[in-house]
Amino acid sequence: MRLTAIEEGHLRNGMPGTIGIAAVFPGGPFDLAQVRSRVCDRWGGLDRMSLVLQPPAGPAALSGHRWSAARPFDPAAHITATDQDLESLLTDGVSHRLPVERPLWRLLVTRQAVVLLAHHALLDGRSLETLFRLLMDDAVPPGPLGQGAAHPLARGRQRPAVGPAAVCGELRRIGVLGQPVPPGPRGEPRPSVAVVELDPQVMRTARRQPVDGRGSTLNELLLSTYAGALRACHGPLRSWPKGPTPFYATVPVDLRTRDNAQHLGNGVTALRMALPVDLESPVARLRACQDEVAAFDGRCDAHRAILPALQAIARTVPWLAGVMAKRLARPELTTSLCTAFKWRDNPSHLHGRPLARIVPLPQLSPPGTANLCLVHTADAYTLTVVSHLRGGDAGTIGEAVERELKAVAASEPF
């Protein structure tokens, strides 16, 4: 089975491509045999989890990779225990490719967490969330996930017609150059990961801003506070290396519908938006981000119109998928991936132990970039920063975002 152009791009962009999700459970260590049994029971019938990557049959420029159906996965090879602490485990995971001789995922069991790592060509972030939900004690038995379920870009219910102006506008947004995160004073770029546990009361108060509006979503709050963190760390854009050139964040948006919500694979697109780094007020930055996010539905319709044709062309000429992926991976184009979601199944338990926190792991991008993901689980809010800047910059960014969240929460109406 040939890979889609998006999957091919994830393999050819020059980066490790590993993403992940961790679930934290208070208490003693898990019984590894129990976890392996649960995974075999819940994931064993999912074709996607047994796909093995096959190299191009001919010249890589003319033929793409393929998925082949392997024998059922070996739980002893895929599911292992580790004494490594969570943050260093995530740093190692995001910095290295998974071995290609078996399906491109692994599950690591620590004393208080279960960590799923996967190559982005095999699974996207929503797929990781879907798989983790299946492991919980009260989960609905697995159905035909990724096995005949409609692909997110398949023709579904009638959608509004998208005019040429909207398509051209979105193509311009995809290709316009911005600027990367300014380099630090010393040191070579290297991967770093920071996990920040945010104050729930601060988050609840911040989400009620603007006080004269509807409140804010997690995505809007993350985007605006990241803009504030960049301003606090590097000043307004005029003081950056490229002056007033905009700084763009990229927001993954799921294209799945209610009919294919559990499709496993890759079903997201990416919408770019200029962050309001130059606005001084935390609430002004939040309002600006809300205005941008409000246009996402219409922009997604443009992507639904664009993507099938782009994927068809790139799949016909596999090297083009690589060229497109490497171009989009440049820090001037994809500087910061910012995403947020809420774990809605509360309470959740694994072998009787309550889920306390979900820790996301966005992928590592090229030097000059930082990716952020915020998750709300029950009463816990967790921010993960994956940076490819100077050592320790992930922690610096995470602390700056945390300060900005407190500033939003303390803001007065204006």
Side-chain angles (χ1 to χ4, degrees):
M1 178 175 64
R2 288 188 60 179
L3 275 66
T4 67
I6 289 176
E7 294 167 353
E8 194 75 41
H10 283 305
L11 287 171
R12 295 182 184 236
N13 65 11
M15 300 306 297
T18 305
I19 59 174
I21 187 171
V24 178
F25 301 87
F30 281 103
D31 182 307
L32 186 60
Q34 275 191 326
V35 176
R36 286 173 171 167
S37 176
R38 174 65 59 85
V39 171
C40 287
D41 179 48
R42 303 289 175 86
W43 295 356
L46 305 178
D47 291 347
R48 191 80 186 175
M49 304 304 287
S50 293
L51 295 180
V52 175
L53 188 68
Q54 300 296 325
L62 302 177
S63 60
H65 294 77
R66 290 181 176 272
W67 297 118
S68 68
R71 59 185 181 278
F73 58 79
D74 177 6
H78 274 285
I79 307 158
T80 57
T82 177
D83 293 328
Q84 197 171 7
D85 69 272
L86 183 59
E87 204 159 293
S88 64
L89 189 158
L90 296 178
T91 303
D92 287 349
V94 81
S95 305
H96 298 93
R97 283 186 178 272
L98 293 165
V100 297
E101 62 270 11
R102 58 178 185 256
L104 293 174
W105 66 271
R106 60 187 303 209
L107 196 74
L108 298 161
V109 182
T110 74
R111 180 177 178 81
Q112 291 193 329
V114 178
V115 184
L116 173 60
L117 301 174
H119 198 288
H120 209 324
L122 182 72
L123 300 164
D124 61 11
R126 176 54 65 88
S127 298
L128 300 186
E129 184 186 352
T130 296
L131 288 165
F132 247 49
R133 291 180 191 280
L134 279 178
L135 293 184
M136 299 299 112
D137 292 347
D138 55 354
V140 176
L145 306 181
Q147 306 171 163
H151 188 275
L153 288 179
R155 184 178 300 275
R157 66 181 187 273
Q158 190 67 34
R159 302 190 64 84
V162 179
V167 170
C168 291
E170 200 57 37
L171 288 173
R172 282 195 297 271
R173 286 190 181 96
I174 292 170
V176 66
L177 294 179
Q179 59 178 317
V181 179
R186 60 185 180 276
E188 291 298 317
R190 63 183 179 87
S192 64
V193 174
V195 177
V196 184
E197 298 181 4
L198 302 169
D199 185 321
Q201 183 57 48
V202 169
M203 291 298 299
R204 285 192 292 269
T205 305
R207 292 194 66 185
R208 290 195 286 267
Q209 295 283 2
V211 293
D212 58 345
R214 57 169 172 76
S216 57
T217 67
L218 288 177
N219 251 329
E220 293 163 352
L221 203 55
L222 176 61
L223 291 163
S224 67
T225 53
Y226 183 39
L230 291 168
R231 181 184 176 89
C233 292
H234 304 290
L237 290 174
R238 63 178 177 273
S239 63
W240 290 30
K242 293 187 178 181
T245 302
F247 180 93
Y248 289 95
T250 303
V251 184
V253 178
D254 193 8
L255 294 180
R256 295 169 176 86
T257 66
R258 188 179 305 173
D259 296 331
N260 55 23
Q262 293 189 310
H263 175 90
L264 297 180
N266 280 273
V268 301
T269 191
L271 303 180
R272 295 181 77 212
M273 58 174 279
L275 290 188
V277 177
D278 279 344
L279 295 181
E280 293 186 15
S281 161
V283 174
R285 290 191 290 267
L286 178 55
R287 289 184 189 276
C289 289
Q290 288 183 320
D291 289 342
E292 289 278 354
V293 172
F296 276 9
D297 281 348
R299 292 179 60 188
C300 279
D301 287 337
H303 278 238
R304 289 181 182 274
I306 296 167
L307 287 174
L310 289 179
Q311 290 203 67
I313 294 169
R315 197 174 185 189
T316 303
V317 188
W319 64 265
L320 184 57
V323 170
M324 292 168 61
K326 288 179 179 178
R327 173 174 169 76
L328 291 175
R330 292 169 54 190
E332 298 88 351
L333 284 171
T334 305
T335 308
S336 289
L337 288 162
C338 295
T339 187
F341 68 91
K342 179 177 181 178
W343 181 274
R344 299 186 181 279
D345 295 348
N346 292 310
S348 292
H349 296 78
L350 180 60
H351 297 299
R353 287 169 54 177
L355 172 67
R357 186 179 300 274
I358 289 289
V359 180
L361 182 66
Q363 64 186 321
L364 179 71
S365 294
T369 62
N371 297 330
L372 295 80
C373 187
L374 172 64
V375 178
H376 177 198
T377 317
D379 200 35
Y381 292 83
T382 309
L383 172 68
T384 305
V385 182
V386 175
S387 80
H388 204 162
L389 302 163
R390 304 303 184 261
D393 275 0
T396 301
I397 293 170
E399 291 167 2
V401 171
E402 186 175 23
R403 288 193 297 270
E404 289 298 314
L405 285 163
K406 293 176 180 177
V408 173
S411 294
E412 296 292 334
F414 72 96

